[in-house]
Amino acid sequence: MAEQHIGQMLDAIGLVADLDEGDMAMDAIVILKVIKADGSVHLVKGRSDAVDWITALGMVTAAQAVENSGYSLADEDDEP
């Protein structure tokens, strides 16, 4: 298996993110469900150059917590 840039592939499958005007993406981890030529299904992980294993683990753990709990940011009015 050879490494390849996947930006266009992510665009082609309709990947979107909820970002505000002026937000700047710094790091990324992508988990892809891939169907091989033989019909087998695999998970493949990609990450941006600057992401070390500790950051990757933290991002995946945080993403799992968000997916499991439906976490959302509190409105500024809700803060003490």
Side-chain angles (χ1 to χ4, degrees), residues 31-76:
I31 300 171
L32 300 166
K33 177 183 171 184
V34 176
I35 300 175
K36 298 286 194 173
D38 65 3
S40 62
V41 178
H42 296 247
L43 288 179
V44 177
K45 183 185 77 149
R47 63 184 187 199
S48 53
D49 290 338
V51 177
D52 60 26
W53 72 271
I54 293 173
T55 302
L57 181 59
M59 290 173 73
V60 169
T61 301
Q64 182 179 17
V66 169
E67 286 296 313
N68 288 343
S69 69
Y71 171 85
S72 62
L73 292 174
D75 290 333
E76 289 181 17

Side-chain angles (χ1 to χ4, degrees), residues 16-31:
V16 296
D18 186 13
L19 300 172
D20 292 327
E21 183 80 24
D23 287 354
M24 183 171 50
M26 298 299 297
D27 295 311
I29 293 177
V30 178
I31 300 171

